[in-house]
């Protein structure tokens, strides 16, 4: 008999717990109180049965009643407290059921993404990443790269000079010299970075842009090696359907020099606005490193040979993400940048 009463008390408490947890207003809490310890409540009704149990069991049962009352009071208080603080929040205009505010962490700029992607592709081909300064000496940017004194790119109308004679590098090619001067051959590096030229900004020009330079020096290197590397790069970056072609060109630091075109990513080579109906996009300058450059850094051109190349990163990014105007990359408009 005593056990049955204790069990009934426990069940009553468990039920009350469930009802209180579901309560959304103080009325509901009050209803639980009335049902359990009101005048006609469950606990008073149960305690009336105390008379029918043997005196030696009354102690235990009485104790059960007392603890139940205490616990119930705590549960009622806690439920009211919960409802009150929600009501306070409500009065203050705070909706506790709303999800938290998302912290906007941002992501990499499309130019940085393309640099990372290029570096990763060349890394898989055995190239290490090298870096050089953006404020450069004339020696590294022009002289050591075999650039004649009267070459138009040296003109202050094309290049930003500091009053001390240094300049903002116009290309990543000076990193070639820095790496060769500080390392014995063989050399296999790519050097991504920021470059600067006095260009008038338009859809394809920016005074501030990025290149990724490549340099490969070893024994018996040929133009076929260069072609294989660029072929592989094109496949990794834009897929196997992209075709590549070379055209003869001139750069002071390579001989022979070539320009690389990729078949137009936009139209697949059929001809469109982006490729100016030619089906091809100019994508990189390259060539076999001029023996004069090797001599300038103390490499013996009779033993060592190699190739170099330079890509415009923005151009790759514009092809990769189908961006029509280079200036959009530099306006810091989050609505634009968030798309990539
Ligand atoms: N530095 C050249 C430019 O800015 C690009 C270039 C051409 C880099 C040929 C090279 C190269 O390494 O071999 O136009």
């Amino acid at each position: 008999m005593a056990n049955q009463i204790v069990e009934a008390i426990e069940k009553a408490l468990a039920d009350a717990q469930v009802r209180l947890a579901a309560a959304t207003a103080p009325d509901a809490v009050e209803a639980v109180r009335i049902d359990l310890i009101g005048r006609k409540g469950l606990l008073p009704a149960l305690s009336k049965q105390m008379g029918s149990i043997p005196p030696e069991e009354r102690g235990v049962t009485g104790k059960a009643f007392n603890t139940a009352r205490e616990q119930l009071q705590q549960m009622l208080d806690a439920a009211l407290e919960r409802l009150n603080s929600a009501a306070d929040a409500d009065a203050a205009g705070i909706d506790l059921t709303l999800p938290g505010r998302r912290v906007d962490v941002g992501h990499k700029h499309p130019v940085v993404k393309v640099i990372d992607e290029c570096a990763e592709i060349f890394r898989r081909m055995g190239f290490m990443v090298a870096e050089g300064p953006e404020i450069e000496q004339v020696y590294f940017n022009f002289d050591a790269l075999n650039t004649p004194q009267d070459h138009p790119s040296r003109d202050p109308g094309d290049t930003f000079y500091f009053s001390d004679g240094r300049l903002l590098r116009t290309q990543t090619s000076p990193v070639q010299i820095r790496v060769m001067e500080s390392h014995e051959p063989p050399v296999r590096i790519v050097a991504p970075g920021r470059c600067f030229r006095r260009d008038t900004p338009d859809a394809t020009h920016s005074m501030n842009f990025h290149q990724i330079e490549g340099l490969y020096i070893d024994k018996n290197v040929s133009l076929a090696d260069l072609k294989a590397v660029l072929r592989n790069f094109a496949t990794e970056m834009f897929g196997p359907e992209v075709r590549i072609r070379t055209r003869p060109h001139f750069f002071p630091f390579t001989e022979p020099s070539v320009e690389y075109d990729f078949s137009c990513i936009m139209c697949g080579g059929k001809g469109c606005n982006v490729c100016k109906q030619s089906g091809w996009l100019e994508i990189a300058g390259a060539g076999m490193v001029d023996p004069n450059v090797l001599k300038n850094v103390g490499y013996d051109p009779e033993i060592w040979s190699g190739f170099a190349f330079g890509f415009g990163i923005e151009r790759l990014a514009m092809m990769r993400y189908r961006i029509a105007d280079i200036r959009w990359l530099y306006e810091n408009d989050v609505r634009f940048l968030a798309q990539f």
Side-chain angles (χ1 to χ4, degrees), residues 42-163:
L42 201 55
L43 294 189
L46 285 170
S47 72
K48 287 197 185 111
Q49 298 177 18
M50 285 275 273
S52 61
I53 59 176
E56 63 274 18
E57 289 177 11
R58 281 186 198 158
V60 187
T61 321
K63 224 174 181 176
F65 272 111
N66 289 337
T67 0
R69 280 213 176 78
E70 268 170 38
Q71 277 183 9
L72 182 69
Q73 196 54 55
Q74 281 173 13
M75 281 155 53
L76 292 168
D77 290 347
L80 279 178
E81 164 85 25
R82 173 175 66 79
L83 291 173
N84 281 338
S85 56
D88 286 351
D90 209 26
I94 302 166
D95 182 350
L96 294 178
T97 66
L98 282 179
R101 223 170 258 167
R102 187 194 295 261
V103 179
D104 201 354
V105 289
H107 62 77
K108 284 181 182 166
H109 190 278
V111 164
V112 176
K113 285 179 122 167
V114 168
I115 289 176
D116 287 353
E117 199 175 337
C118 291
E120 175 56 23
I121 291 171
F122 286 113
R123 193 190 62 76
R124 288 201 293 271
M125 287 192 267
F127 288 78
M128 296 197 334
V129 174
E131 285 185 311
E134 291 167 5
I135 297 176
E136 192 48 286
Q137 296 164 34
V138 174
Y139 171 77
F140 291 108
N141 197 83
F142 292 127
D143 300 343
L145 286 164
N146 200 38
T147 315
Q149 285 303 325
D150 60 355
H151 195 276
S153 63
R154 290 186 184 248
D155 194 281
D158 283 346
T159 297
F160 294 104
Y161 286 93
F162 290 88
S163 48

Side-chain angles (χ1 to χ4, degrees), residues 16 19-20 22-36 76 79-84 87:
R19 286 173 65 192
L20 288 174
T24 52
D27 283 0
V29 177
E30 178 61 9
V32 173
R33 193 189 66 77
I34 292 173
D35 287 350
L36 268 84
L76 292 168
L80 279 178
E81 164 85 25
R82 173 175 66 79
L83 291 173
N84 281 338

Side-chain angles (χ1 to χ4, degrees), residues 170-171 173 176 197 211 213-214 251 253-254 285-287 308-310:
T170 60
Q171 50 190 357
S173 306
Q176 291 188 30
R197 282 184 205 174
Q211 292 185 335
E213 191 81 12
F251 297 104
F253 34 89
T254 43
F309 56 82

